[in-house]
C-alpha cells in the first residue's frame, strides 16, 4: 500500500511538473525576437522549472548534513527559479484566461443579439394584420385585372366613374394584403432561422456570461463581501492556478519520495541460520518443571553459557551494519569517559564521509547504536553514552568530563 501511494504521488507530481514546464516553455518562447531566440528562452525556462523541483532534495540534504554554504546556495537558486517560474505561470494563465473569456464574450454578445432579434421579429409578426395566403391574394388581384374596368382605368392609374373606383379600391386592398402576407412570410422564415441557430448552437447557459466560473464565485463572495467584482475573482483564480502549479511542482516530488525515506539506509537483513541441536536447546524457553533441589545453582548457569555462545555464533554469522562498523573503527571503551549523542553523531557523519556512505538520520542512528549494548543516560538535560570515547583524535573536552548522572 505504501509503494502504491508513493507511485501515485510521484505520478501526480510528475504531471504537475510537466504542465508547469510546458507553461514556462511556451511563455519563454514568446520572449525571443526570432524563432531560435524563442527556443533558447523556452528551454531555459523549462530547465529552471525542473531545477526548481530538484532543489528541495539538495536543500534539505545540505541542512541535514550541516553544510550551510550549500544550503544557502540551494535556497537562493530555489527562490530565483521559483520566482521566475511563478511569473511565467501567471503570464501564461492570464493570457489563456483572457483569450478564453474574450471568445466567450463574443459568443455571449452574439447570443444576446440573436435573442433580441428573435424577440423583435416575433413582435413585428404580431403587429401584421390578419391576411390570407399570398397565393390566394395574388389570384384575386389577377382576376381583377381581367375585368373591363381595369382596362378603362389603365391599371388603376386613371379612375373614371364608380366602377373603376370600386375596382381600384379592391385592387389596392388586395395589394396591401399581399404585402402583409409577404412580410409575414419573411418574418416567419427569419424566426425559424434564429430558433434553429439558438437550438443547434451554444446553449444560453454556457454563453450567458464570458466567465461563468468567475461570475458564480463573485456572487457567492458577494454574500460576505458586497464589493467583490467579477474581475477581482478572475485575478484571484489566475493567481491560484499559478500557485497550484508552482507549489505542486516544487515540493510534489519531495513529498512523494518521502514514502520511501530515501535518506535512510536500512540495516542489512540477518540471514536465516539453521539451528543445530545445541542452539535449539539454548533458544528454547526455560523448562517449567522445577530443577532438582540438590543442584539449584547449576541449572540456570548452563543455559546462560549456552545462550552467550549462541549469541556469539549469531554475531559471527550475521553481516555487520554501518553502525557496527563505525563502532569498531571509531569507538573504544573508557571507564571514566562519556559522549553526548550529538558529538557521537557528528563523528559518525565524518566517518560516513570518509567511507563514501550516506549517513542515517539521527533518530535511526541512535536507535541502532543503542542496540549495541552501550549504556545510555540523561545527564544535565542531554543524552550521553557512558563508558566510551572516540578514536578519531578530535578534542571533545566537555564530552570527556562525565558529570554526575541525573538518571541512572
Amino acid at each position: 500500500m505504501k509503494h502504491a501511494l508513493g507511485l501515485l504521488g510521484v505520478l501526480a507530481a510528475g504531471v504537475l511538473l510537466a504542465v508547469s514546464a510546458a507553461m514556462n516553455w511556451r511563455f519563454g518562447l514568446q520572449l525571443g525576437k526570432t524563432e531560435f531566440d524563442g527556443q533558447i528562452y523556452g528551454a531555459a525556462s523549462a530547465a529552471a522549472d525542473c531545477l526548481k523541483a530538484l532543489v528541495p532534495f539538495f536543500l534539505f540534504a545540505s541542512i541535514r548534513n550541516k553544510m550551510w554554504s550549500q544550503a544557502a546556495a540551494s535556497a537562493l537558486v530555489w527562490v530565483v527559479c521559483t520566482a521566475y517560474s511563478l511569473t511565467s505561470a501567471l503570464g501564461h494563465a492570464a493570457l489563456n484566461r483572457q483569450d478564453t473569456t474574450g471568445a466567450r464574450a463574443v459568443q455571449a454578445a452574439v447570443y444576446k443579439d440573436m435573442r433580441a432579434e428573435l424577440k423583435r421579429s416575433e413582435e413585428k409578426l404580431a403587429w401584421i394584420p390578419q391576411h390570407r395566403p399570398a397565393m390566394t391574394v395574388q389570384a384575386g388581384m389577377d382576376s381583377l385585372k381581367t375585368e373591363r374596368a381595369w382596362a378603362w382605368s389603365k391599371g388603376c392609374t386613371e379612375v373614371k366613374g364608380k366602377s373603376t373606383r370600386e375596382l381600384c379600391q379592391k385592387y389596392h386592398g388586395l395589394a396591401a394584403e399581399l404585402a402583409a402576407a409577404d412580410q409575414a412570410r419573411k418574418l416567419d422564415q427569419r424566426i425559424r432561422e434564429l430558433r434553429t441557430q439558438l437550438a443547434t448552437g451554444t446553449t444560453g447557459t454556457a454563453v450567458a456570461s464570458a466567465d461563468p466560473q468567475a461570475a458564480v464565485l463573485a456572487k457567492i463572495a458577494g454574500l460576505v463581501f458586497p464589493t467583490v467584482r467579477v474581475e477581482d475573482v478572475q485575478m484571484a483564480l489566475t493567481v491560484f492556478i499559478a500557485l497550484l502549479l508552482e507549489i505542486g511542482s516544487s515540493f510534489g516530488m519531495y513529498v512523494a519520495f518521502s514514502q520511501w525515506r530515501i535518506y535512510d539506509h536500512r540495516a542489512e537483513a540477518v540471514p536465516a541460520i539453521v539451528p543445530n541441536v545445541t542452539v535449539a536447546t539454548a533458544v528454547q524457553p526455560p523448562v517449567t518443571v522445577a530443577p532438582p533441589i540438590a543442584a539449584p545453582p547449576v541449572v540456570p548457569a548452563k543455559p546462560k553459557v549456552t545462550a552467550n555462545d549462541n549469541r556469539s555464533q549469531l554475531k559471527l554469522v550475521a553481516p555487520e551494519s554501518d553502525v557496527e562498523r563505525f563502532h569498531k573503527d571509531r569507538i573504544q571503551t573508557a571507564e571514566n569517559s562519556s559522549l553526548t549523542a550529538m558529538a557521537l553523531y557528528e563523528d559518525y557523519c565524518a566517518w560516513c564521509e570518509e567511507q563514501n556512505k550516506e549517513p542515517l538520520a539521527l533518530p535511526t542512528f541512535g536507535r541502532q547504536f543503542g542496540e549495541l549494548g552501550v549504556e545510555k543516560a540523561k545527564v544535565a538535560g542531554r543524552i550521553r553514552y557512558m563508558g566510551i570515547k572516540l578514536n578519531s583524535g578530535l578534542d571533545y573536552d566537555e564530552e570527556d568530563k562525565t558529570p554526575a548522572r541525573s538518571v541512572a
Side-chain angles (χ1 to χ4, degrees):
M1 184 64 180
K2 180 177 69 174
H3 295 291
L5 292 177
L7 289 176
L8 291 176
V10 171
L11 180 61
V15 172
L16 287 176
L17 179 59
V19 172
S20 180
M23 291 178 62
N24 280 267
W25 180 81
R26 289 198 61 184
F27 187 79
L29 194 64
Q30 302 173 358
L31 301 178
K33 294 182 179 180
T34 63
E35 182 179 358
F36 182 71
D37 293 337
Q39 294 290 343
I40 293 176
Y41 281 112
S45 300
D49 195 76
C50 294
L51 182 61
K52 171 198 65 182
L54 296 176
V55 166
F57 293 94
F58 308 143
L59 174 61
F60 292 110
S62 301
I63 294 175
R64 184 174 52 84
N65 294 328
K66 298 183 179 181
M67 300 177 180
W68 306 118
S69 59
Q70 295 182 4
S74 300
L76 179 61
V77 171
W78 184 83
V79 169
V80 173
C81 292
T82 303
Y84 177 78
S85 181
L86 179 61
T87 56
S88 301
L90 285 172
H92 186 276
L95 289 175
N96 186 69
R97 180 169 286 273
Q98 183 178 2
D99 293 340
T100 304
T101 54
R104 289 178 179 173
V106 173
Q107 293 179 359
V110 172
Y111 176 80
K112 292 179 180 179
D113 292 342
M114 292 173 63
R115 290 296 300 267
E117 184 180 358
L118 176 61
K119 184 177 180 180
R120 289 193 302 267
S121 299
E122 290 175 345
E123 291 176 353
K124 290 180 180 180
L125 183 61
W127 294 340
I128 295 176
Q130 294 293 330
H131 56 274
R132 292 173 293 173
M135 296 180 63
T136 303
V137 177
Q138 185 65 45
M141 294 176 66
D142 293 338
S143 64
L144 291 177
K145 292 179 181 180
T146 59
E147 296 182 7
R148 292 181 180 181
W150 176 263
W152 294 343
S153 64
K154 297 181 180 181
C156 287
T157 58
E158 295 180 2
V159 178
K160 297 177 181 180
K162 182 179 179 181
S163 61
T164 57
R165 186 182 301 110
E166 292 177 353
L167 183 140
C168 289
Q169 287 178 353
K170 292 181 180 180
Y171 180 81
H172 289 306
L174 291 174
E177 187 178 1
L178 179 62
D182 290 339
Q183 183 66 20
R185 179 181 58 80
K186 293 179 180 178
L187 288 174
D188 187 66
Q189 182 179 0
R190 180 57 181 167
I191 289 172
R192 288 197 300 268
E193 291 177 356
L194 291 173
R195 288 177 177 175
T196 302
Q197 291 178 4
L198 291 174
T200 57
T202 307
T203 60
T205 304
V207 297
S209 176
D211 195 341
Q213 180 188 22
V216 172
L217 292 177
K219 290 180 180 179
I220 296 175
L223 299 176
V224 182
F225 305 100
T227 59
V228 174
R229 302 174 301 171
V230 176
E231 293 78 5
D232 300 332
V233 177
Q234 289 176 341
M235 178 62 68
L237 289 174
T238 301
V239 175
F240 180 74
I241 291 174
L243 290 177
L244 169 66
L245 290 174
E246 296 310 309
I247 295 177
S249 60
S250 295
F251 297 103
M253 286 293 181
Y254 187 82
V255 174
F257 276 109
S258 65
Q259 291 289 330
W260 289 287
R261 301 178 64 183
I262 58 177
Y263 293 118
D264 291 345
H265 290 277
R266 300 180 62 182
E268 298 178 358
V270 178
I273 303 175
V274 179
N276 52 28
V277 178
T278 305
V279 175
T281 303
V283 297
Q284 287 179 354
V287 181
T288 55
V289 180
I293 302 176
V298 179
V299 175
K302 288 184 178 180
K304 183 176 181 180
V305 174
T306 307
N308 290 336
D309 294 340
N310 182 34
R311 286 195 296 269
S312 63
Q313 292 177 5
L314 292 177
K315 289 182 180 179
L316 292 175
V317 176
E320 292 183 343
S321 64
D322 290 343
V323 177
E324 292 175 340
R325 297 190 188 99
F326 163 72
H327 183 275
K328 288 184 177 181
D329 294 345
R330 306 295 283 264
I331 302 299
Q332 64 178 348
T333 303
E335 183 177 355
N336 296 324
S337 298
S338 66
L339 290 174
T340 62
M342 186 56 64
L344 182 66
Y345 182 70
E346 290 178 356
D347 192 71
Y348 164 72
C349 292
W351 179 82
C352 289
E353 185 175 359
E354 294 175 0
Q355 302 294 327
N356 293 325
K357 296 179 178 293
E358 185 71 20
L360 300 174
L362 179 57
T364 306
F365 169 76
R367 183 176 64 255
Q368 294 189 13
F369 192 82
E371 294 175 355
L372 300 180
V374 180
E375 182 184 1
K376 182 170 63 174
K378 187 174 183 181
V379 181
R382 295 193 299 177
I383 300 299
R384 304 181 72 93
Y385 292 91
M386 315 304 296
I388 61 172
K389 68 177 182 179
L390 302 174
N391 289 334
S392 58
L394 298 178
D395 188 9
Y396 291 98
D397 293 337
E398 66 168 352
E399 310 299 339
D400 293 338
K401 298 176 182 179
T402 305
R405 302 183 188 179
S406 59
V407 179

